[in-house]
Amino acid sequence: MRIARYFILFTFCCFFSCSKETDYEDLIRIVSPVSGWTYYEDSTICFSSNVNSENIYWYSSKDGFLGRGNGRTVFLSEGVHDIICKINDYKKNTIIQVQKRNYRSGQSIDNYINEAEKEILLKPGKYYPYLVSFEGKGKELKINKKTKEQLFNRDFKININLKNLEKIKNSANRAAVLNEYKEGEKKEFYIIKTDNQYDKPHEIVFEMVCNSLHCTVWLPEKRNFEIQIIENCIEQFNTLIYPRLKAIWGEWADVDQDGKIALVFCPTINEEKEAVGYFNPSDLFKNDDNNYSNEMDIIYLAVPEKNVNNYSEQTITATIAHEMTHAITFNSKTYKRVKEGLINIPQEEIYIEEGLSHLSENLCGFGISGGNVEFIRYYLENTQNYSFCTDNIFGQDDSVGQRGAMCLFLSWLFWKKGGMSWNVNNPSEVIDCGGISFLKKLINSSEIGWINIGKIYGVDIEEVFLEFVKDINLKRLEKETVQYRRDPVTEEYVEFFCSMPELHLGLPKVSEECEIRTVLPWSLILFPEFEIEEKQIINLSANKYEGKVFFNLIYNN
């Protein structure tokens, strides 16, 4: 019997080790959606295969990249979709049809509520929602419109596995080579596809057009745009942003030892319309087949455009400060410990990383013109949707609202600790009054996360957060506007809180979310009517429910 078992195991292993690529591909199959089926655009479609892996990528010939992982649920647009399931180099496809669902006036759209969240896609029109409970009850029922954030996140986090990356060696020798770069010289760069960072990057030849005091500037070899606005951004960086970033945060890694940051302006970022810029930590490590490292200290930026808010000169300038802060804080928290050869290397949580970078825009004097104030305003108008340190109600771990929340909180902590002042003889120079020391302790700490903020501040995080919330409520009651600090050079606000003129909270905004703490058995609850002008998602969730609870919408065109 034992010999038989070994023979079966041996045969099994040989099959997989000797099978051709096409044989292995035949083992992969799409479980859902089902080939040839018709689905509706107002129902989520599950995408799953018989392989349970996070390395599964789903694509639609009509809607593009759908997501990563097994068991994703997505709404698809009307039409025929060729669905592709990609695992490593293997692909399987299936074709499905998606149709519209036509509601008639007065029709009831019924939804049974269970523990799992449910989403409903609604077409334009008026809706009259109500809830019916038979022999059922529930707690913490939430019903809200799932609206798309209208602001860019500005950038996105690029996840790296430090265990698989190798430090750049002989950096002193390489520095001599890099320092030989002169204006007019060319170099091919790997440029991440911002609309899907998991795809193979662009490979684009850039030309160095400027070797300035603190940066080198790279533009595509083939370009058809003016560089005057870019020159304005560079001037702001050299004279204002650089000295302030160095004083507040410290230095970037400088892996090529040229003492400068490379600013690479990429039209592909504008074309893909997903970000304004980004910093890629992988560039600090040795290039290999999977890393696509450019082995330089680089900030990637969209090309500034006139009369385009998302890519205006002010937005690009603020983004330089934002991404430079990522480069410096990554060096302080993570890369320095990599060089020291430590085993447990900390990588800061994304909500803190982004909150610090947005705060940096404010402290450099571009919090208003760069558009950062809109992130804070958006949070204050939608506070019910966002956590400071966990996913929002839509399951996102990074969002405009959370960035605004963390920027507001970290700004409050910074000024509570004393903040900073400016040299009257040279206002580009900032002076620590306690706030800068707090920030530097935070980014140099070997610990990460929400609890660590309280540790560095010196007070338990629950107590700190409670004080912050009380302060927000007190500011709402103030009749006179508080005089918040302004930058002596840009004349923009550097201190942000809810009662500043551009953010004044006033009375709470009427929320379109319906939140019922308790649903009693045998009850009917009517909610105010609402109207939507374009297709929108409604999200339902309930905890601790029993029996039958129905949420209904009456459609009226």
Side-chain angles (χ1 to χ4, degrees):
M1 178 64 84
R2 181 176 298 177
I3 294 175
R5 289 177 182 173
Y6 285 140
F7 176 76
I8 293 171
L9 179 61
F10 175 80
T11 303
F12 183 81
C13 293
C14 288
F15 171 77
F16 276 97
S17 63
C18 299
S19 61
K20 298 179 181 179
E21 184 172 284
T22 53
D23 293 333
Y24 180 68
E25 186 176 3
D26 288 340
L27 297 176
I28 303 169
R29 60 185 177 83
I30 297 175
V31 177
S32 177
V34 180
S35 179
W37 277 29
T38 298
Y39 296 83
Y40 289 97
E41 67 168 355
D42 64 346
S43 299
T44 54
I45 302 172
C46 180
F47 292 83
S48 63
S49 76
N50 62 322
V51 179
N52 190 17
S53 170
E54 282 299 310
N55 293 321
I56 301 174
Y57 297 87
W58 297 92
Y59 300 86
S60 161
S61 59
K62 185 175 177 61
D63 290 351
F65 179 64
L66 302 178
R68 177 184 180 186
N70 214 24
R72 294 192 61 86
T73 55
V74 180
F75 291 103
L76 292 183
S77 59
E78 181 187 15
V80 176
H81 294 254
D82 186 0
I83 303 299
I84 298 173
C85 170
K86 182 179 178 182
I87 305 174
N88 297 328
D89 295 330
Y90 305 99
K91 296 180 181 179
K92 275 297 179 70
N93 75 301
T94 187
I95 296 177
I96 63 171
Q97 175 87 25
V98 177
Q99 294 183 353
K100 283 185 178 180
R101 194 194 303 271
N102 295 318
Y103 299 139
R104 64 182 184 277
S105 184
Q107 180 176 342
S108 177
I109 307 165
D110 302 335
N111 293 277
Y112 179 74
I113 299 173
N114 53 29
E115 290 186 14
E117 287 196 345
K118 184 179 181 64
E119 294 181 344
I120 317 162
L121 181 67
L122 298 178
K123 69 177 186 178
K126 285 186 178 181
Y127 292 88
Y128 299 82
Y130 63 95
L131 186 142
V132 176
S133 173
F134 298 108
E135 291 184 274
K137 58 184 178 181
K139 292 183 181 295
E140 299 176 354
L141 170 69
K142 294 185 179 180
I143 306 155
N144 60 277
K145 292 183 181 180
K146 184 173 180 179
T147 57
K148 182 178 180 181
E149 295 175 334
Q150 299 302 312
L151 301 174
F152 272 145
N153 257 1
R154 195 180 301 283
D155 64 351
F156 50 83
K157 181 177 177 63
I158 300 173
N159 296 312
I160 62 171
N161 184 351
L162 297 175
K163 294 181 180 179
N164 295 333
L165 298 179
E166 183 179 347
K167 291 179 291 184
I168 296 174
K169 298 178 181 179
N170 302 321
S171 57
N173 295 332
R174 296 180 71 259
V177 175
L178 291 178
N179 282 333
E180 291 179 3
Y181 279 129
K182 296 179 181 179
E183 293 183 11
E185 293 197 33
K186 297 173 184 178
K187 174 180 169 61
E188 187 175 67
F189 285 90
Y190 296 113
I191 305 298
I192 285 178
K193 295 177 181 177
T194 57
D195 55 355
N196 181 14
Q197 61 174 293
Y198 300 106
D199 272 0
K200 184 179 179 181
H202 304 287
E203 297 180 33
I204 303 174
V205 176
F206 284 78
E207 177 186 357
M208 196 183 78
V209 299
C210 177
N211 190 354
S212 71
L213 186 60
H214 301 299
C215 65
T216 58
V217 181
W218 300 79
L219 300 181
E221 177 187 29
K222 299 178 181 179
R223 55 185 181 272
N224 57 359
F225 51 83
E226 299 180 4
I227 65 170
Q228 180 60 53
I229 304 179
I230 292 177
E231 291 174 350
N232 296 341
C233 296
I234 302 309
E235 176 67 18
Q236 293 277 35
F237 171 72
N238 283 321
T239 61
L240 195 62
I241 294 175
Y242 171 78
R244 290 179 172 178
L245 289 176
K246 183 176 180 180
I248 297 169
W249 306 102
E251 294 279 7
W252 58 82
D254 195 19
V255 293
D256 48 20
Q257 296 187 354
D258 66 347
K260 300 179 181 182
I261 193 82
L263 302 181
V264 179
F265 289 85
C266 314
T268 56
I269 297 179
N270 304 64
E271 295 164 5
E272 290 157 0
K273 295 181 172 28
E274 291 292 332
V276 184
Y278 64 89
F279 161 69
N280 187 357
S282 297
D283 286 329
L284 307 185
F285 299 89
K286 186 176 179 181
N287 185 24
D288 58 35
D289 293 338
N290 300 312
N291 188 28
Y292 298 112
S293 168
N294 290 308
E295 298 190 10
M296 294 172 64
D297 304 89
I298 304 176
I299 298 300
Y300 303 87
L301 299 158
V303 177
E305 301 179 38
K306 291 182 179 179
N307 305 318
V308 180
N309 288 337
N310 289 327
Y311 303 112
S312 68
E313 175 184 329
Q314 294 82 1
T315 302
I316 299 299
T317 303
T319 301
I320 294 175
H322 183 107
E323 304 306 332
M324 284 293 302
T325 305
H326 280 312
I328 297 171
T329 55
F330 181 83
N331 180 48
S332 298
K333 175 75 70 174
T334 304
Y335 191 71
K336 286 181 178 179
R337 292 179 169 89
V338 171
K339 291 194 297 182
E340 292 171 4
L342 300 180
I343 297 176
N344 297 319
I345 309 296
Q347 294 188 67
E348 189 56 88
E349 300 285 358
I350 184 173
Y351 59 87
I352 295 180
E353 273 284 336
E354 294 300 343
L356 292 173
S357 287
H358 282 285
L359 172 62
S360 190
E361 297 177 41
N362 298 351
L363 301 182
C364 285
F366 299 97
I368 300 293
S369 63
N372 194 40
V373 67
E374 298 298 331
F375 285 66
I376 301 175
R377 180 186 294 116
Y378 189 89
Y379 165 69
L380 290 173
E381 291 180 350
N382 300 276
T383 55
Q384 72 277 6
N385 293 344
Y386 298 98
S387 163
F388 282 76
C389 60
T390 61
D391 294 355
N392 66 15
I393 61 171
F394 312 129
Q396 298 168 308
D397 63 356
D398 183 24
S399 57
V400 167
Q402 187 180 53
R403 290 181 179 215
M406 283 303 297
C407 181
L408 189 68
F409 183 45
L410 291 168
S411 176
W412 181 83
L413 294 172
F414 175 82
W415 293 105
K416 279 287 184 179
K417 276 295 186 182
M420 68 185 189
S421 61
W422 297 264
N423 185 336
V424 293
N425 298 318
N426 180 15
S428 295
E429 179 184 333
V430 295
I431 302 169
D432 184 18
C433 298
I436 293 176
S437 295
F438 163 70
L439 293 179
K440 284 186 174 179
K441 288 179 182 178
L442 186 61
I443 66 172
N444 283 285
S445 168
S446 61
E447 298 184 52
I448 64 172
W450 181 249
I451 302 299
N452 191 47
I453 295 176
K455 289 182 180 179
I456 300 302
Y457 189 79
V459 181
D460 184 83
I461 190 63
E462 289 185 5
E463 185 178 340
V464 175
F465 191 64
L466 180 59
E467 184 182 354
F468 168 73
V469 174
K470 286 181 178 179
D471 206 0
I472 287 180
N473 281 293
L474 288 173
K475 291 293 187 294
R476 284 173 46 190
L477 301 177
E478 291 179 352
K479 295 182 180 179
E480 297 182 1
T481 303
V482 178
Q483 295 299 313
Y484 289 100
R485 296 171 180 85
R486 291 177 181 265
D487 189 291
V489 179
T490 66
E491 297 184 352
E492 296 188 28
Y493 287 103
V494 293
E495 183 182 7
F496 284 65
F497 207 53
C498 55
S499 56
M500 63 183 290
E502 283 75 8
L503 290 176
H504 199 284
L505 191 59
L507 295 174
K509 181 182 178 182
V510 177
S511 173
E512 292 178 336
E513 176 185 289
C514 301
E515 182 171 341
I516 308 301
R517 291 299 179 188
T518 303
V519 177
L520 300 176
W522 296 98
S523 64
L524 172 67
I525 301 175
L526 300 177
F527 302 107
E529 67 176 270
F530 64 85
E531 184 173 4
I532 57 176
E533 298 178 355
E534 57 182 4
K535 284 192 295 188
Q536 198 163 38
I537 296 173
I538 296 295
N539 179 276
L540 308 178
S541 65
N543 295 323
K544 302 177 182 177
Y545 80 103
E546 295 176 5
K548 293 181 179 179
V549 179
F550 286 88
F551 171 72
N552 288 11
L553 293 142
I554 301 296
Y555 171 71
N556 183 16
N557 60 3

